[in-house]
Amino acid sequence: MALQRNTGVAALRALPAVLPAARTFASQAGWFGHVPEAPRDPILGVTEKYLADANPLKMNLGVGAYRDDSGQPVVLKSVREAERRVAGSHFMEYLPIGGHRQFCEDSAKLAYGEDAGVVHGKQVAMIQSLSGTGSCRLFAEFQGRWMKGSKIYIPSPTWSNHHNIWRDAQVEEVIYPYYNKETKGLDFERMCDTLSKAPAGSVVLLHACAHNPTGVDPTREQWQELSKLMLEKRLFPCMDMAYQGFATGDCERDAQAVRIFLNDGHRLALSQSFAKNMGLYGQRVGCFSIVCEGPAEAKAVESQMKALARPMYSNPPLHGALLVHQILSDPELKQQWYGEVKEMADRIISMRTLLRQNLEALGSPHRCAGRLAWVSPCCCVCTSATRSCCGRMDEPWAGPTGSWAGHKRPLRRRSPRPAAGISSGQGAAPHSRLRTCPTCAKPAHPGRCPVLAPCVFRGPCHPTRIPARSWQHITDQIGMFCFTGITPEQVDRLTGEYSIYLTRNGRISMAGVNSGNVGRLAEAMHKVTSS
């Protein structure tokens, strides 16, 4: 009792030092007058602008929520059947802190494999989470508390909320290169080089499939190489898997990265979401798991995962977990769901193909696939959007500095200068002797092929590589999103002139594209990238 009284007295003595500050804070600007308005979320802010637009032809390509070919939201038939079975069958009691246990086990088997030894050997600590965001946040907090001093390596680019999650968990963030803007593909060499220099014990965030926002995934061979590198360097994988089944249409294939790392002996963390692949966006249902060394370790780790969840949200919601469990535990319903996931993925793939075809049919200048062209030192190909005989589009000559100036054919004679890195006479050949297209070897047509375009200086031409700038990346990428490669300024024009809404990094949700609007989208993209 004396101890309690002393503690109370000490607290009272401390009050005068606190209260004046509180009074000053309250009297200056009210309780919250000092709070500034937060910046709009870069993704959800797109929807706000879209809703305020009165244009009947407006398109929302910002938020990643699946739509059918008529632009309507979809509830899967397997989900409706699960709803029918679940309705009225359960009380509305709290779930445990760890959530619906059978749901968690179903989720782990879907990701790690039905026969995964780590699942059957009880090496996986797992709890139900508030979809993918909640899973990542739980691991970020776990890392900050139990992997003290470790850094999180996050790819550039990534889903914007990843930065918020680890920042709020006060875990130091390091960016590693992932996307190559020039090739519009994976920058695998620089990625591996950066990770090879990461301190042992660092955590590496990986998108298990359908990378958001780029849609660019490593190949199976690259995943294997990356797994070996991270084992050698003692780096811990944290995999975010929000699109299993939605990338290729095959849930098993989309889990290959997780299983490659697992088979190589990694201990890893995994975030799963059923928002996209089951269309359960509003149910906020996900699973957070960590693969441990053995059952005892898994039990301890899981207890700490629950300890993190308790002050955050106490326990997760019931309904979504019941739906997922019903689908994954019933073989017939699960097969129906597999088929529906494939239908959604196939529609996305078909929209990628249609968008690319429409862009190429418009003769977009981004169509040049890169080739060795004969270029005069006086800019004989300095014409805008001239067509070669093989149908590809060429861009202005790189010039001695290697930059693309975009200028017109010169009106006055220039002194001959070889292209950068090419000496005079190296492979030189005058236009008059060139009668086939260097790209396709078909007979060339003067006036159409830039190789045979009129040249102010009729001297020798020199071979130089025209860089790859095509729309092929639209179909090379997979998953819900397409990283178009268009600039923020071009995005602003799409929004301002055509009421097409997307994030300023050029990411579009292919789920918002359908056979009714793909032509208009392609035409708008063509116009903003051509002028």
Side-chain angles (χ1 to χ4, degrees):
M1 291 293 293
L3 179 62
Q4 290 177 354
R5 285 196 294 272
N6 289 340
T7 303
V9 170
L12 287 171
R13 287 174 179 169
L15 280 178
V18 175
L19 289 177
R23 283 197 299 270
T24 303
F25 165 72
S27 61
Q28 283 182 344
W31 286 108
F32 304 112
H34 66 292
V35 179
E37 185 176 348
R40 281 180 172 179
D41 182 271
I43 299 173
L44 299 182
V46 171
T47 299
E48 294 175 13
K49 294 178 182 178
Y50 167 82
L51 293 173
D53 192 334
N55 187 343
L57 297 177
K58 63 184 179 181
M59 286 185 240
N60 186 358
L61 306 180
V63 178
Y66 183 77
R67 299 291 183 265
D68 64 17
D69 199 50
S70 59
Q72 297 302 309
V74 173
V75 178
L76 301 184
K77 293 177 183 178
S78 56
V79 170
R80 285 296 190 213
E81 174 59 22
E83 273 190 318
R84 188 191 65 78
R85 297 183 187 183
V86 164
S89 63
H90 288 72
F91 292 111
M92 302 298 174
E93 297 294 310
Y94 289 124
L95 281 174
I97 298 172
H100 193 288
R101 188 64 188 183
Q102 289 77 25
F103 156 79
C104 293
E105 292 174 356
D106 294 336
S107 301
K109 290 176 183 177
L110 183 68
Y112 300 119
E114 286 286 340
D115 300 320
V118 293
V119 176
H120 293 285
K122 302 187 182 304
Q123 291 176 242
V124 183
M126 60 185 93
I127 65 171
Q128 183 184 335
S129 64
L130 304 182
S131 201
T133 303
S135 295
C136 288
R137 183 57 193 267
L138 282 168
F139 178 73
E141 293 290 343
F142 185 91
Q143 180 184 351
R145 183 174 296 186
W146 298 107
M147 303 173 79
K148 289 188 181 297
S150 66
K151 300 175 183 179
I152 180 70
Y153 278 70
I154 294 180
S156 175
T158 192
W159 179 46
S160 57
N161 214 21
H162 281 148
H163 301 291
N164 303 330
I165 289 167
W166 268 271
R167 179 201 63 214
D168 284 4
Q170 299 183 11
V171 174
E172 184 178 349
E173 175 185 312
V174 181
I175 301 299
Y176 69 85
Y178 185 88
Y179 180 74
N180 187 317
K181 291 182 179 179
E182 297 302 319
T183 65
K184 296 181 179 65
L186 182 65
D187 200 346
F188 189 67
E189 185 175 338
R190 288 183 61 224
M191 172 185 177
C192 289
D193 181 64
T194 301
L195 295 181
S196 69
K197 299 170 185 174
S202 298
V203 177
V204 180
L205 177 64
L206 300 167
H207 296 232
C209 62
H211 182 275
N212 178 9
T214 69
V216 175
D217 285 357
T219 63
R220 182 176 184 84
E221 292 72 27
Q222 287 171 330
W223 278 123
Q224 290 170 338
E225 185 176 341
L226 185 61
S227 172
K228 289 179 173 58
L229 170 66
M230 290 178 62
L231 267 180
E232 179 186 338
K233 298 296 180 179
R234 297 199 72 253
L235 305 177
F236 186 85
C238 172
M239 292 193 168
D240 189 356
M241 187 160 65
Y243 300 95
Q244 186 178 3
F246 214 101
T248 65
D250 184 339
C251 288
E252 295 295 302
R253 182 177 173 188
D254 288 352
Q256 69 171 350
V258 174
R259 296 177 190 181
I260 285 170
F261 275 66
L262 198 62
N263 292 336
D264 284 348
H266 282 276
R267 299 298 172 249
L268 57 89
L270 179 66
S271 162
Q272 290 173 269
S273 167
F274 292 92
K276 304 297 191 298
N277 58 13
M278 285 195 183
L280 298 175
Y281 305 99
Q283 298 296 339
R284 310 308 296 146
V285 57
C287 184
F288 165 44
S289 60
I290 298 178
V291 178
C292 304
E293 292 296 338
E297 183 177 288
K299 183 178 179 181
V301 167
E302 189 173 300
S303 71
Q304 294 297 342
M305 291 158 64
K306 293 175 183 176
L308 290 168
R310 174 61 169 156
M312 279 191 193
Y313 54 84
S314 194
N315 40 40
L318 172 64
H319 189 66
L322 289 176
L323 297 179
V324 176
H325 170 59
Q326 191 69 229
I327 292 170
L328 295 183
S329 63
D330 183 284
E332 186 177 340
L333 209 52
K334 187 176 183 180
Q335 285 304 314
Q336 183 182 6
W337 172 65
Y338 279 156
E340 291 180 299
V341 173
K342 188 175 190 311
E343 283 179 18
M344 291 192 290
D346 286 348
R347 196 190 82 75
I348 296 293
I349 292 168
S350 69
M351 287 303 106
R352 289 182 179 277
T353 302
L354 270 179
L355 179 58
R356 178 183 172 186
Q357 287 175 349
N358 275 267
L359 282 163
E360 291 178 346
L362 290 166
S364 170
H366 283 242
R367 198 177 163 202
C368 170
R371 63 179 181 81
L372 191 66
W374 292 90
V375 182
S376 168
C378 64
C379 307
C380 68
V381 293
C382 284
T383 55
S384 297
T386 52
R387 187 181 294 277
S388 69
C389 60
C390 63
R392 295 185 179 175
M393 302 303 296
D394 295 305
E395 300 204 22
W397 173 53
T401 62
S403 62
W404 295 97
H407 50 279
K408 300 290 185 180
R409 187 185 294 111
L411 298 177
R412 61 186 178 84
R413 185 184 181 110
R414 289 187 182 183
S415 300
R417 293 181 296 177
I422 301 176
S423 59
S424 299
Q426 178 185 345
H431 285 314
S432 59
R433 296 179 187 174
L434 202 58
R435 290 290 176 260
T436 59
C437 174
T439 304
C440 62
K442 294 179 180 178
H445 303 283
R448 291 186 63 206
C449 184
V451 174
L452 299 177
C455 186
V456 175
F457 175 73
R458 300 276 179 179
C461 295
H462 304 274
T464 187
R465 177 67 62 181
I466 295 177
R469 296 190 68 195
S470 81
W471 294 113
Q472 181 179 329
H473 60 281
I474 293 176
T475 50
D476 286 346
Q477 296 169 9
I478 60 173
M480 182 171 283
F481 300 108
C482 172
F483 216 45
T484 60
I486 61 179
T487 66
E489 294 73 24
Q490 290 166 342
V491 170
D492 292 341
R493 286 190 61 196
L494 283 175
T495 300
E497 298 175 27
Y498 303 98
S499 293
I500 297 173
Y501 291 86
L502 60 153
T503 52
R504 291 193 83 234
N505 61 5
R507 186 198 82 163
I508 65 175
S509 171
M510 293 304 301
V513 182
N514 56 61
S515 56
N517 64 21
V518 66
R520 181 170 175 267
L521 173 61
E523 185 176 352
M525 289 175 63
H526 169 63
K527 287 180 178 177
V528 302
T529 55
S530 300
S531 58

